[in-house]
């Protein structure tokens, strides 16, 4: 069902989420049968592979780690056709790891997204949003006037509504706070 290292890859995603939600992360790695040392080791191994000259790059690296994608499609983005690949991960059954792949198998973007066949989520007003309850696209569908902000940290994203900031890590909601501007 899962590729060789889908569990370990999921553990790597938890590392950056721990900055916001350490208790959720602890519960998550425990559900995966891992310890804190296991998830930190997985994260370090992933970082080593990302920076290794000998490791494959782009989509080839994702294939080496996650195995074959569960869904693959060509998508037109302006004048260019990109490939969108999805993998199931063991922790979030309604989400998929999505990679948008350009020429020469270069990964342009990768993040957690809602699975195509998953039930749509009904989002409450931002103060009532629970951590890990939605992905970026869910919020943009609910609040089309929201503004996306790239906080210049590869694993993070920010969506601003009229009165709130919604912080995401790897596409999954971590924290909501009030805007003070």
């Amino acid at each position: 069902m899962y590729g060789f290292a889908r569990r370990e890859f999921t553990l790597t995603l938890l590392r950056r989420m721990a900055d916001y939600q350490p208790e959720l992360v602890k519960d998550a790695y425990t559900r995966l049968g891992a310890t804190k040392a296991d998830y930190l080791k997985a994260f370090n191994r992933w970082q080593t592979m990302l920076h290794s000259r000998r490791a494959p790059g782009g989509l080839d690296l994702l294939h080496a780690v996650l195995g074959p994608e569960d869904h693959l499609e060509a998508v037109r983005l302006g004048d260019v056709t990109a490939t969108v690949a999805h993998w199931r991960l063991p922790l979030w059954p309604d989400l998929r790891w999505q990679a948008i792949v350009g020429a020469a198998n270069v990964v342009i973007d990768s993040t957690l997204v809602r699975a195509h066949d998953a039930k749509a989520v009904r989002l409450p007003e931002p103060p009532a949003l629970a951590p890990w309850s939605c992905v970026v696209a869910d919020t943009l569908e609910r609040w089309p006037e929201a503004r996306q902000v790239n906080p210049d940290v590869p694993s993070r994203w920010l969506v601003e509504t009229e009165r709130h900031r919604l912080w995401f890590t790897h596409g999954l909601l971590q924290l909501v706070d009030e805007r003070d501007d």
Side-chain angles (χ1 to χ4, degrees), residues 5 27 42 71 75 80 87 108 142:
D27 291 344
H71 178 76
V75 176
V80 180
W87 290 267
I108 300 165
R142 171 71 166 82

PDB file of all heavy atoms in Angstrom, residues 5 27 42 71 75 80 87 108 142:
ATOM      1  N   ALA A   5       9.387   4.315   1.812  1.00  0.00           N
ATOM      2  CA  ALA A   5       9.639   5.277   2.876  1.00  0.00           C
ATOM      3  C   ALA A   5       8.529   6.315   3.042  1.00  0.00           C
ATOM      4  O   ALA A   5       8.781   7.416   3.490  1.00  0.00           O
ATOM      5  CB  ALA A   5      10.978   5.961   2.625  1.00  0.00           C
ATOM      6  N   ASP A  27       1.612  13.282  19.102  1.00  0.00           N
ATOM      7  CA  ASP A  27       0.545  12.298  18.898  1.00  0.00           C
ATOM      8  C   ASP A  27       0.682  11.617  17.539  1.00  0.00           C
ATOM      9  O   ASP A  27       0.479  10.408  17.421  1.00  0.00           O
ATOM     10  CB  ASP A  27      -0.828  12.964  18.994  1.00  0.00           C
ATOM     11  CG  ASP A  27      -1.164  13.438  20.400  1.00  0.00           C
ATOM     12  OD1 ASP A  27      -0.501  13.008  21.375  1.00  0.00           O
ATOM     13  OD2 ASP A  27      -2.101  14.260  20.527  1.00  0.00           O
ATOM     14  N   ALA A  42      14.600  10.824  10.645  1.00  0.00           N
ATOM     15  CA  ALA A  42      14.022  10.827   9.296  1.00  0.00           C
ATOM     16  C   ALA A  42      14.196  12.194   8.645  1.00  0.00           C
ATOM     17  O   ALA A  42      14.560  12.294   7.462  1.00  0.00           O
ATOM     18  CB  ALA A  42      12.541  10.450   9.356  1.00  0.00           C
ATOM     19  N   HIS A  71      -1.372   8.863  -8.343  1.00  0.00           N
ATOM     20  CA  HIS A  71      -2.142   9.547  -9.387  1.00  0.00           C
ATOM     21  C   HIS A  71      -1.183  10.482 -10.120  1.00  0.00           C
ATOM     22  O   HIS A  71      -0.349  11.136  -9.493  1.00  0.00           O
ATOM     23  CB  HIS A  71      -3.292  10.353  -8.755  1.00  0.00           C
ATOM     24  CG  HIS A  71      -4.096  11.106  -9.751  1.00  0.00           C
ATOM     25  ND1 HIS A  71      -5.022  10.505 -10.575  1.00  0.00           N
ATOM     26  CD2 HIS A  71      -4.118  12.422 -10.071  1.00  0.00           C
ATOM     27  CE1 HIS A  71      -5.571  11.416 -11.351  1.00  0.00           C
ATOM     28  NE2 HIS A  71      -5.044  12.588 -11.068  1.00  0.00           N
ATOM     29  N   VAL A  75      -1.221  18.862 -16.560  1.00  0.00           N
ATOM     30  CA  VAL A  75      -2.042  20.045 -16.300  1.00  0.00           C
ATOM     31  C   VAL A  75      -1.462  21.216 -17.074  1.00  0.00           C
ATOM     32  O   VAL A  75      -0.248  21.435 -17.064  1.00  0.00           O
ATOM     33  CB  VAL A  75      -2.070  20.362 -14.780  1.00  0.00           C
ATOM     34  CG1 VAL A  75      -2.827  21.645 -14.509  1.00  0.00           C
ATOM     35  CG2 VAL A  75      -2.675  19.221 -14.003  1.00  0.00           C
ATOM     36  N   VAL A  80       2.435  26.417 -20.667  1.00  0.00           N
ATOM     37  CA  VAL A  80       3.265  25.257 -20.350  1.00  0.00           C
ATOM     38  C   VAL A  80       2.390  24.123 -19.817  1.00  0.00           C
ATOM     39  O   VAL A  80       1.399  24.351 -19.126  1.00  0.00           O
ATOM     40  CB  VAL A  80       4.315  25.641 -19.276  1.00  0.00           C
ATOM     41  CG1 VAL A  80       5.192  24.471 -18.916  1.00  0.00           C
ATOM     42  CG2 VAL A  80       5.138  26.824 -19.744  1.00  0.00           C
ATOM     43  N   TRP A  87       0.733  11.353  -3.990  1.00  0.00           N
ATOM     44  CA  TRP A  87       1.020  10.157  -3.204  1.00  0.00           C
ATOM     45  C   TRP A  87       0.174  10.167  -1.942  1.00  0.00           C
ATOM     46  O   TRP A  87       0.030  11.198  -1.283  1.00  0.00           O
ATOM     47  CB  TRP A  87       2.488  10.122  -2.771  1.00  0.00           C
ATOM     48  CG  TRP A  87       3.460   9.881  -3.874  1.00  0.00           C
ATOM     49  CD1 TRP A  87       3.967   8.677  -4.269  1.00  0.00           C
ATOM     50  CD2 TRP A  87       4.086  10.865  -4.703  1.00  0.00           C
ATOM     51  NE1 TRP A  87       4.849   8.861  -5.301  1.00  0.00           N
ATOM     52  CE2 TRP A  87       4.943  10.204  -5.590  1.00  0.00           C
ATOM     53  CE3 TRP A  87       3.988  12.258  -4.788  1.00  0.00           C
ATOM     54  CZ2 TRP A  87       5.713  10.854  -6.537  1.00  0.00           C
ATOM     55  CZ3 TRP A  87       4.738  12.928  -5.729  1.00  0.00           C
ATOM     56  CH2 TRP A  87       5.587  12.228  -6.590  1.00  0.00           C
ATOM     57  N   ILE A 108       8.587  21.877  -9.152  1.00  0.00           N
ATOM     58  CA  ILE A 108       8.344  23.313  -9.045  1.00  0.00           C
ATOM     59  C   ILE A 108       7.750  23.654  -7.683  1.00  0.00           C
ATOM     60  O   ILE A 108       8.080  24.658  -7.075  1.00  0.00           O
ATOM     61  CB  ILE A 108       7.412  23.783 -10.175  1.00  0.00           C
ATOM     62  CG1 ILE A 108       8.057  23.498 -11.535  1.00  0.00           C
ATOM     63  CG2 ILE A 108       7.050  25.251 -10.023  1.00  0.00           C
ATOM     64  CD1 ILE A 108       7.098  23.594 -12.693  1.00  0.00           C
ATOM     65  N   ARG A 142     -13.055  28.799   0.505  1.00  0.00           N
ATOM     66  CA  ARG A 142     -13.986  29.381   1.490  1.00  0.00           C
ATOM     67  C   ARG A 142     -13.915  30.910   1.495  1.00  0.00           C
ATOM     68  O   ARG A 142     -14.912  31.584   1.646  1.00  0.00           O
ATOM     69  CB  ARG A 142     -13.645  28.818   2.872  1.00  0.00           C
ATOM     70  CG  ARG A 142     -14.351  29.464   4.057  1.00  0.00           C
ATOM     71  CD  ARG A 142     -15.827  29.119   4.111  1.00  0.00           C
ATOM     72  NE  ARG A 142     -16.419  29.455   5.374  1.00  0.00           N
ATOM     73  CZ  ARG A 142     -16.844  30.670   5.725  1.00  0.00           C
ATOM     74  NH1 ARG A 142     -16.705  31.683   4.896  1.00  0.00           N
ATOM     75  NH2 ARG A 142     -17.393  30.882   6.906  1.00  0.00           N
TER      76      ARG A 142
END
